[in-house]
Amino acid sequence: MPIVVDIDMMLARRKMPVGELAERVGITPANLAVLKNGRAKAVRFTTLAALCEALDCQPGDLLRYEAEENAKVTADA
């Protein structure tokens, strides 16, 4: 998928455990894992806003576009 989720990077920068973020956002740790591992097919804007508030960041800090070609080359390397 060309959209890459960088929640792990922001969690590390904030030194925040996944469970704490899930609690602050109001989602289950399992659902947060689905999102942060790139397996989610969609994300609600309310969830994205809550993530940004909890992590004190912008949506672009959590999501980025990576062309399919680059993703395949990276995966093959």
Side-chain angles (χ1 to χ4, degrees):
M1 174 172 285
I3 301 298
V4 179
V5 181
D6 288 326
I7 291 176
D8 280 336
M9 185 173 59
M10 290 305 297
L11 281 169
R13 285 183 183 170
R14 302 297 187 254
K15 298 179 181 169
M16 183 184 299
V18 173
E20 181 180 339
L21 178 61
E23 186 176 317
R24 287 185 183 193
V25 172
I27 61 176
T28 66
N31 283 340
L32 182 57
V34 167
L35 180 59
K36 76 183 193 76
N37 293 326
R39 294 188 317 257
K41 298 293 181 192
V43 61
R44 289 188 173 127
F45 282 144
T46 54
T47 302
L48 184 57
L51 286 165
C52 289
E53 184 175 339
L55 292 168
D56 189 28
C57 66
Q58 295 294 313
D61 296 327
L62 301 176
L63 303 172
R64 63 184 161 88
Y65 173 78
E66 188 173 284
E68 289 286 339
E69 287 180 8
N70 292 340
K72 288 179 184 175
V73 170
T74 304
D76 292 339

